[in-house]
Amino acid sequence: MPTLAIASGKGGTGKTSLAVNLASYLAGEYRLLLADLDVEAPDCAPYFGSSADSQQAPRLLQEVYIPVPQADDSRCNGCGACSRACHFGALVAIENTVRINELLCKGCGHCVRVCPTGALQERPVSAGKVCALSPLPGQAPIELLYGLLNIGDIRTTAVIDAVKKKAAEATASAPGLTLRDCPPGASCPAVRAIHGADYCILVAEPTAFSLHDMEKTARMVLAMHIPAGIVVNKAGAGSGDVAALARKLRLPVLAELPWQLDIAEHGARAETALDVPEMIDFLFKLKKALQQMKLLGVGEGGL
Ligand code: SF4
Ligand code: SF4
């Protein structure tokens, strides 16, 4: 079963809403894992009843640690090889002392390897965690994995990688369709979240802002040689020409969800909108498009 990445240019286009509605729509038919890789703002969990006052408690699967160097100044000769080796400006050697900015460190270990005196030793520093939510009786049978970056931390990709690894382990033992809710944009977190997916669904609003940013993300996805298609959210709510951009990028428009206040209200309450006919019609068209591309089997389910 494939992995589908759901991405967008700017934030707020409806990526998470699409991810949870599509997951809930397909869950009766396909074995399904939803991986929330938007680790700075993992918003899928509230749709499944996870909140401070609910009985739905997430399970901690893994604390994500990064091996950060610490210096033993008594062994440092001040050569500066470590700071020259660091591509992230995370450490600076001043005379016989090394100062390390832990938040900038990516844990690559390069500085430790080039240090001629063994003055640098690695120690694990937490960047975030990976959590899981299993469905309660009566809920859609969706396993949710999500990453949560520590407050103030910027080492997003380490947490994304950890969620992807857990998702791969889960689908290796119980094969199924994986939906990834990816971070918006075209920077490192989005690249890392989309990388390895079989297909990318790009969510766009018909606004100049959304289309400007989506073009950048779409070109990034195409440069990664990942096939992609566009879904239009809030169709009719703006004057941006999504179809023209799709033609320019040579990408198909898979389905359009019209702008409706009650769909937005469902989203504001962190509820799926499967009781809204327009949402069901949209998801049906999207499922058919995915089936025509052989990304989803027809009638074979997986359950
Ligand atoms: S481990 Fe890598 S990123 Fe961290 S300080 Fe050393 S060279 Fe820089
Ligand atoms: S490479 Fe090692 S010895 Fe040289 S400045 Fe860095 S910590 Fe000190």
Side-chain angles (χ1 to χ4, degrees), residues 216-243:
K216 292 183 189 306
T217 305
R219 292 196 184 283
M220 175 195 80
V221 171
L222 294 173
M224 294 164 74
H225 304 292
I226 294 174
I230 297 170
V231 302
V232 185
N233 190 23
K234 304 175 196 162
S239 57
D241 192 343
V242 183

Short mmCIF file of all heavy atoms in Angstrom, two decimals, residues 216-243:
data_model
loop_
_atom_site.label_atom_id
_atom_site.label_comp_id
_atom_site.label_asym_id
_atom_site.label_seq_id
_atom_site.Cartn_x
_atom_site.Cartn_y
_atom_site.Cartn_z
N LYS A 216 5.77 27.08 -5.54
CA LYS A 216 7.11 26.75 -5.03
C LYS A 216 7.13 25.32 -4.50
O LYS A 216 8.06 24.56 -4.77
CB LYS A 216 7.52 27.73 -3.92
CG LYS A 216 7.76 29.14 -4.39
CD LYS A 216 8.24 30.00 -3.24
CE LYS A 216 8.29 31.47 -3.62
NZ LYS A 216 9.05 31.77 -4.80
N THR A 217 6.12 24.96 -3.70
CA THR A 217 6.08 23.60 -3.16
C THR A 217 5.94 22.58 -4.27
O THR A 217 6.59 21.53 -4.27
CB THR A 217 4.91 23.47 -2.16
OG1 THR A 217 5.06 24.48 -1.16
CG2 THR A 217 4.91 22.10 -1.48
N ALA A 218 5.08 22.88 -5.26
CA ALA A 218 4.88 21.94 -6.37
C ALA A 218 6.19 21.73 -7.13
O ALA A 218 6.54 20.59 -7.48
CB ALA A 218 3.81 22.47 -7.30
N ARG A 219 6.94 22.80 -7.38
CA ARG A 219 8.20 22.66 -8.12
C ARG A 219 9.21 21.87 -7.29
O ARG A 219 10.00 21.10 -7.83
CB ARG A 219 8.75 24.03 -8.50
CG ARG A 219 7.88 24.74 -9.55
CD ARG A 219 8.57 25.89 -10.22
NE ARG A 219 7.68 26.58 -11.14
CZ ARG A 219 7.33 26.12 -12.35
NH1 ARG A 219 7.82 24.98 -12.78
NH2 ARG A 219 6.50 26.79 -13.11
N MET A 220 9.17 22.05 -5.99
CA MET A 220 10.05 21.26 -5.11
C MET A 220 9.69 19.77 -5.19
O MET A 220 10.56 18.91 -5.33
CB MET A 220 9.90 21.74 -3.67
CG MET A 220 10.66 20.93 -2.66
SD MET A 220 10.08 21.31 -1.00
CE MET A 220 8.59 20.33 -0.90
N VAL A 221 8.40 19.47 -5.14
CA VAL A 221 7.95 18.07 -5.20
C VAL A 221 8.34 17.46 -6.54
O VAL A 221 8.82 16.32 -6.61
CB VAL A 221 6.42 17.99 -4.97
CG1 VAL A 221 5.90 16.58 -5.24
CG2 VAL A 221 6.08 18.42 -3.55
N LEU A 222 8.16 18.21 -7.62
CA LEU A 222 8.51 17.68 -8.95
C LEU A 222 10.02 17.48 -9.05
O LEU A 222 10.48 16.51 -9.66
CB LEU A 222 8.01 18.64 -10.03
CG LEU A 222 6.47 18.72 -10.13
CD1 LEU A 222 6.05 19.80 -11.11
CD2 LEU A 222 5.88 17.37 -10.52
N ALA A 223 10.80 18.37 -8.44
CA ALA A 223 12.26 18.19 -8.45
C ALA A 223 12.67 16.95 -7.67
O ALA A 223 13.73 16.38 -7.91
CB ALA A 223 12.94 19.43 -7.86
N MET A 224 11.82 16.53 -6.74
CA MET A 224 12.09 15.30 -5.98
C MET A 224 11.59 14.06 -6.74
O MET A 224 11.66 12.95 -6.21
CB MET A 224 11.40 15.38 -4.61
CG MET A 224 11.97 16.45 -3.69
SD MET A 224 10.86 16.84 -2.30
CE MET A 224 11.08 15.41 -1.25
N HIS A 225 11.05 14.29 -7.94
CA HIS A 225 10.55 13.19 -8.79
C HIS A 225 9.42 12.41 -8.12
O HIS A 225 9.34 11.18 -8.24
CB HIS A 225 11.69 12.25 -9.20
CG HIS A 225 12.81 12.96 -9.89
ND1 HIS A 225 12.66 13.52 -11.14
CD2 HIS A 225 14.07 13.24 -9.48
CE1 HIS A 225 13.81 14.10 -11.48
NE2 HIS A 225 14.66 13.96 -10.49
N ILE A 226 8.59 13.15 -7.38
CA ILE A 226 7.42 12.54 -6.76
C ILE A 226 6.19 13.00 -7.55
O ILE A 226 5.97 14.21 -7.69
CB ILE A 226 7.30 12.95 -5.27
CG1 ILE A 226 8.48 12.36 -4.49
CG2 ILE A 226 5.97 12.47 -4.68
CD1 ILE A 226 8.55 12.81 -3.06
N PRO A 227 5.39 12.07 -8.08
CA PRO A 227 4.20 12.50 -8.81
C PRO A 227 3.23 13.22 -7.88
O PRO A 227 3.15 12.91 -6.69
CB PRO A 227 3.61 11.18 -9.34
CG PRO A 227 4.23 10.10 -8.53
CD PRO A 227 5.54 10.61 -8.02
N ALA A 228 2.48 14.17 -8.44
CA ALA A 228 1.64 15.01 -7.60
C ALA A 228 0.37 15.41 -8.33
O ALA A 228 0.30 15.38 -9.57
CB ALA A 228 2.42 16.25 -7.16
N GLY A 229 -0.62 15.78 -7.56
CA GLY A 229 -1.85 16.35 -8.08
C GLY A 229 -2.36 17.38 -7.10
O GLY A 229 -1.90 17.45 -5.96
N ILE A 230 -3.30 18.19 -7.57
CA ILE A 230 -3.79 19.32 -6.77
C ILE A 230 -5.24 19.07 -6.35
O ILE A 230 -6.04 18.58 -7.15
CB ILE A 230 -3.71 20.62 -7.60
CG1 ILE A 230 -2.24 20.93 -7.96
CG2 ILE A 230 -4.34 21.80 -6.88
CD1 ILE A 230 -2.09 22.05 -8.98
N VAL A 231 -5.56 19.39 -5.11
CA VAL A 231 -6.96 19.51 -4.72
C VAL A 231 -7.20 20.97 -4.34
O VAL A 231 -6.33 21.63 -3.77
CB VAL A 231 -7.37 18.57 -3.57
CG1 VAL A 231 -7.12 17.12 -3.91
CG2 VAL A 231 -6.72 18.94 -2.28
N VAL A 232 -8.38 21.44 -4.69
CA VAL A 232 -8.74 22.83 -4.42
C VAL A 232 -9.63 22.85 -3.18
O VAL A 232 -10.66 22.16 -3.15
CB VAL A 232 -9.48 23.46 -5.61
CG1 VAL A 232 -9.72 24.95 -5.35
CG2 VAL A 232 -8.70 23.26 -6.90
N ASN A 233 -9.22 23.59 -2.17
CA ASN A 233 -10.05 23.78 -0.99
C ASN A 233 -10.66 25.18 -1.05
O ASN A 233 -10.06 26.10 -1.60
CB ASN A 233 -9.20 23.62 0.28
CG ASN A 233 -10.06 23.57 1.53
OD1 ASN A 233 -11.24 23.23 1.46
ND2 ASN A 233 -9.47 23.90 2.67
N LYS A 234 -11.86 25.32 -0.51
CA LYS A 234 -12.58 26.60 -0.51
C LYS A 234 -12.79 27.11 -1.93
O LYS A 234 -12.61 28.31 -2.21
CB LYS A 234 -11.83 27.65 0.33
CG LYS A 234 -11.56 27.20 1.76
CD LYS A 234 -10.71 28.21 2.51
CE LYS A 234 -10.12 27.60 3.76
NZ LYS A 234 -9.00 28.33 4.31
N ALA A 235 -13.09 26.20 -2.85
CA ALA A 235 -13.33 26.62 -4.24
C ALA A 235 -14.45 27.64 -4.27
O ALA A 235 -15.49 27.49 -3.61
CB ALA A 235 -13.71 25.40 -5.09
N GLY A 236 -14.25 28.71 -5.04
CA GLY A 236 -15.25 29.77 -5.14
C GLY A 236 -15.04 30.89 -4.16
O GLY A 236 -15.71 31.93 -4.23
N ALA A 237 -14.08 30.72 -3.21
CA ALA A 237 -13.89 31.76 -2.20
C ALA A 237 -12.89 32.82 -2.62
O ALA A 237 -12.68 33.79 -1.90
CB ALA A 237 -13.43 31.11 -0.88
N GLY A 238 -12.26 32.66 -3.78
CA GLY A 238 -11.29 33.64 -4.22
C GLY A 238 -11.22 33.64 -5.73
O GLY A 238 -11.86 32.83 -6.41
N SER A 239 -10.42 34.55 -6.27
CA SER A 239 -10.36 34.70 -7.72
C SER A 239 -9.10 34.09 -8.32
O SER A 239 -8.84 34.25 -9.51
CB SER A 239 -10.44 36.19 -8.08
OG SER A 239 -9.39 36.88 -7.43
N GLY A 240 -8.29 33.40 -7.51
CA GLY A 240 -7.09 32.77 -8.03
C GLY A 240 -7.44 31.64 -8.99
O GLY A 240 -8.40 30.90 -8.76
N ASP A 241 -6.66 31.54 -10.07
CA ASP A 241 -6.97 30.56 -11.11
C ASP A 241 -6.12 29.30 -10.89
O ASP A 241 -5.01 29.18 -11.41
CB ASP A 241 -6.69 31.17 -12.48
CG ASP A 241 -7.26 30.32 -13.61
OD1 ASP A 241 -7.56 29.14 -13.36
OD2 ASP A 241 -7.39 30.85 -14.73
N VAL A 242 -6.67 28.36 -10.12
CA VAL A 242 -5.93 27.14 -9.81
C VAL A 242 -5.73 26.31 -11.08
O VAL A 242 -4.66 25.73 -11.30
CB VAL A 242 -6.67 26.31 -8.74
CG1 VAL A 242 -5.87 25.07 -8.38
CG2 VAL A 242 -6.95 27.13 -7.49
N ALA A 243 -6.76 26.28 -11.92
CA ALA A 243 -6.66 25.46 -13.14
C ALA A 243 -5.51 25.95 -14.04
O ALA A 243 -4.78 25.14 -14.63
CB ALA A 243 -7.98 25.50 -13.90
#
